[in-house]
Amino acid sequence: MLMCSSTVLYAQDDLLNELSKQDSAQTVPVTATFKSTRVVNGQSVETMKKKHLDLRISHRFGKLNSGAYQFFGLDQATMRLGFEYGLTDDLMIGVGRSTSQKVYDFFGKYKLLKQSTGARNIPVSVTLFGGTGVATVDKERDFQDKLYYTAQVLVARKFGERLSLQLSPTYLYRTMPDVTGDEKVLFAVGIGGRFKLSKRVSLNGEYFYTAREKNTVTAPYHDSMSFGVDIETGGHVFQLHFTNSLGMIEKQFIGETTGSWGKGDIHYGFNISRTFSFDKKNKKQPN
Amino acid sequence: MKPHFYRVACLAMFSTALLSGTAFAQMFATSGGNTQFSASTPLENIEAENKKSQVILNTANNEIAIRMNMREFSFPNKLMQEHFNENYIESVKYPTATFSGKVDKAPDYTKDGNYDVSATGKFTVHGVTRERTIKGKMKIEGGKITISSDFEVALVDHNIEVPKVVFVKIAQIIKVKAQYALAPYKK
């Protein structure tokens, strides 16, 4: 009698329900808010996973309005070569070298809070970014005066599969600004986002508002604005973009953007990111 | 689910538990089953492992259900894992893979031994359900049941698209290996 009743009870679908019931109390992390650790120029909330190396090669060409003689900017290229590595799934470090101002940059990035649904509902991801660098171009300067520091709190939310938005309050400190009269301390707020056009292609944009006078003699600067496309192909992510900034590190694109979109000072550029996994432990061969 | 179901289910489970001292347990389950797959090609190793597959087997009527969260598949290369979830399997839209069916030629669960078995039922991956018969082995030993199976899944059967231009080629037929050690099921 008992056997009969339970046989009726556990019809096939009920067995599946039984399994999903056991599983219901889980927290589901929201992943891939952005395809890459950069939105365009600026950092995204993403970090490299543990034991994964990101080799980044970034190029910015000259200004589109420089005319046919300069092949619309393509004759001039600046680049940054970066090695960026995940120490844990939440903590990454990176070093880079930029041709522009001959800068060595160093940074760390830590995922403080991860957006999630399910048992634990967290509406946003929060990542902390800290960076420093040495601009070695001016040999006359003391070492101290070549330094700069950046701190950012990156707050992002993935609104469904397609849309992600990010807010990036930024603090920038230059021991010796390049233009006399420019402030050492600069506050800025970045707003960025991506919209997925297809599974592998997304449209990205970002804008950094700087709290200072713009386009003056003491500060001949503009706010940085960039638009781009992310294309992922297996282990690579290609980011192609148009930006009024030449630099690829925070000090330069937030603090020292001299180009103006209105005048056509637009640089074409791209980032190539190639991920390598050094996680041997996990590499078990099913046989 | 109806509360009615729970009440009767609880009663049934309770009675089963009471009986298990004397009679053979009826429900066997695990939530730590191992499912691996390989989509490797000569050029690239694409392998992943899910260590949290759930399985439940009712030995009274031979019904079996298997369920796993796609996002629990762990890849050595985390970028591949992200692409697997985002682009191939779309784990937000289709979070689980399931099988629910019946063991075809059921062995005598009370006798220790190794048996060749097969199960027929609904196999759902990427939101597409197919009727399949999957072969495997069942080992019964000391009141535990271990199920193992090697089978293949064709991407095209489950509408899993592979873009034409990718650097990492993946196999069109995925080889799956499953190993589930079931113990008497307690609530």
Side-chain angles (χ1 to χ4, degrees):
Chain A
M1 149 62 193
L2 178 81
M3 285 299 186
C4 289
S5 65
S6 36
T7 303
V8 176
L9 272 170
Y10 286 101
Q12 289 168 20
D13 285 343
D14 290 338
L15 281 184
L16 268 185
N17 283 333
E18 184 72 24
L19 294 180
S20 60
K21 206 171 63 191
Q22 289 176 7
D23 191 43
S24 60
Q26 284 202 11
T27 300
V28 183
V30 172
T31 56
T33 305
F34 291 94
K35 285 189 194 298
S36 157
T37 56
R38 304 299 197 285
V39 179
V40 177
N41 283 312
Q43 299 283 343
S44 76
V45 288
E46 301 296 336
T47 61
M48 291 308 293
K49 293 283 184 280
K50 188 180 179 181
K51 289 189 180 173
H52 284 59
L53 174 74
D54 184 14
L55 171 61
R56 295 186 76 88
I57 302 169
S58 311
H59 273 82
R60 300 293 178 273
F61 294 97
K63 294 171 184 174
L64 286 184
N65 63 1
S66 59
Y69 177 70
Q70 297 285 9
F71 200 48
F72 305 96
L74 292 184
D75 284 352
Q76 305 141 316
T78 57
M79 73 161 308
R80 176 182 179 271
L81 183 64
F83 291 92
E84 307 182 4
Y85 188 74
L87 293 177
T88 72
D89 282 348
D90 298 331
L91 178 66
M92 73 176 284
I93 52 169
V95 294
R97 161 76 180 194
S98 298
T99 56
S100 171
Q101 299 177 328
K102 301 187 182 296
V103 182
Y104 293 98
D105 66 273
F106 308 89
F107 72 84
K109 217 163 128 179
Y110 178 69
K111 274 188 180 172
L112 189 67
L113 207 60
K114 284 174 261 186
Q115 186 183 344
S116 59
T117 58
R120 228 177 132 215
N121 199 331
I122 302 172
V124 292
S125 295
V126 178
T127 299
L128 304 179
F129 170 84
T132 182
V134 197
T136 63
V137 67
D138 186 352
K139 290 182 188 165
E140 305 299 307
R141 282 195 190 187
D142 294 338
F143 180 75
Q144 186 64 31
D145 291 338
K146 295 174 181 170
L147 296 174
Y148 71 90
Y149 306 91
T150 316
Q152 286 183 310
V153 180
L154 312 166
V155 183
R157 178 172 166 81
K158 188 176 186 177
F159 298 87
E161 273 302 275
R162 284 172 178 266
L163 181 70
S164 301
L165 292 177
Q166 179 178 301
L167 210 60
S168 323
T170 304
Y171 168 84
L172 190 62
Y173 182 89
R174 290 81 49 93
T175 22
M176 192 176 157
D178 286 338
V179 176
T180 323
D182 193 9
E183 298 290 330
K184 289 182 176 180
V185 173
L186 178 65
F187 285 100
V189 177
I191 179 159
R194 75 102 190 255
F195 184 80
K196 266 175 110 171
L197 298 176
S198 74
K199 283 181 194 169
R200 290 170 182 81
V201 179
S202 78
L203 208 60
N204 293 22
E206 89 189 337
Y207 172 74
F208 280 90
Y209 172 79
T210 48
R212 64 171 169 193
E213 278 189 76
K214 274 155 251 181
N215 208 11
T216 63
V217 182
T218 49
Y221 299 128
H222 293 269
D223 287 342
S224 171
M225 183 159 71
S226 318
F227 299 98
V229 177
D230 280 12
I231 303 164
E232 60 174 49
T233 53
H236 297 71
V237 179
F238 292 109
Q239 299 184 288
L240 315 173
H241 29 252
F242 290 101
T243 169
N244 60 337
S245 304
L246 192 64
M248 287 152 270
I249 48 180
E250 287 67 25
K251 165 198 190 275
Q252 295 173 343
F253 66 80
I254 299 174
E256 296 158 6
T257 290
T258 51
S260 148
W261 273 83
K263 290 183 196 154
D265 305 330
I266 299 160
H267 304 271
Y268 166 70
F270 62 84
N271 304 340
I272 297 174
S273 157
R274 169 69 177 153
T275 303
F276 300 92
S277 170
F278 292 95
D279 201 350
K280 292 280 189 296
K281 183 190 68 185
N282 241 329
K283 229 165 205 168
K284 211 176 12 170
Q285 299 275 338
N287 35 43
Chain B
M1 269 325 263
K2 289 154 246 146
H4 160 79
F5 166 80
Y6 289 126
R7 229 171 285 142
V8 188
C10 286
L11 185 68
M13 290 314 299
F14 180 60
S15 324
T16 314
L18 272 184
L19 283 173
S20 62
T22 49
F24 184 74
Q26 188 200 344
M27 306 292 289
F28 288 80
T30 180
S31 55
N34 191 311
T35 311
Q36 297 176 14
F37 74 76
S38 161
S40 297
T41 60
L43 280 176
E44 192 100 24
N45 260 4
I46 304 170
E47 279 151 6
E49 185 175 26
N50 181 322
K51 291 178 180 169
K52 290 185 181 171
S53 312
Q54 301 171 284
V55 186
I56 190 163
L57 170 70
N58 184 346
T59 56
N61 60 10
N62 298 316
E63 280 174 1
I64 184 167
I66 302 168
R67 179 182 184 276
M68 65 198 71
N69 282 309
M70 299 317 274
R71 69 189 146 74
E72 292 291 348
F73 274 100
S74 170
F75 289 66
N77 184 329
K78 297 299 168 200
L79 191 67
M80 264 182 209
Q81 186 167 328
E82 187 178 309
H83 292 172
F84 167 78
N85 284 302
E86 285 273 301
N87 302 338
Y88 292 91
I89 217 75
E90 299 176 87
S91 57
V92 171
K93 246 190 262 176
Y94 312 110
T96 58
T98 58
F99 177 82
S100 75
K102 267 194 151 178
V103 179
D104 297 322
K105 296 165 287 173
D108 183 348
Y109 295 105
T110 57
K111 267 191 200 153
D112 284 6
N114 288 300
Y115 304 91
D116 284 325
V117 290
S118 67
T120 303
K122 290 180 200 147
F123 178 66
T124 308
V125 174
H126 194 235
V128 179
T129 302
R130 298 247 155 194
E131 190 76 21
R132 286 198 57 174
T133 298
I134 292 167
K135 286 181 181 165
K137 285 190 160 53
M138 204 180 267
K139 184 180 168 190
I140 296 161
E141 195 176 32
K144 286 191 175 165
I145 301 174
T146 305
I147 301 171
S148 58
S149 175
D150 285 6
F151 63 99
E152 292 183 340
V153 179
L155 294 181
V156 62
D157 285 352
H158 293 274
N159 293 347
I160 300 168
E161 288 172 38
V162 178
K164 291 200 175 66
V165 195
V166 281
F167 283 87
V168 183
K169 299 288 176 202
I170 76 167
Q172 290 297 315
I173 307 280
I174 310 300
K175 292 194 172 81
V176 184
K177 277 179 81 75
Q179 180 104 23
Y180 306 130
L182 312 187
Y185 180 55
K186 293 179 271 312
K187 275 245 167 189

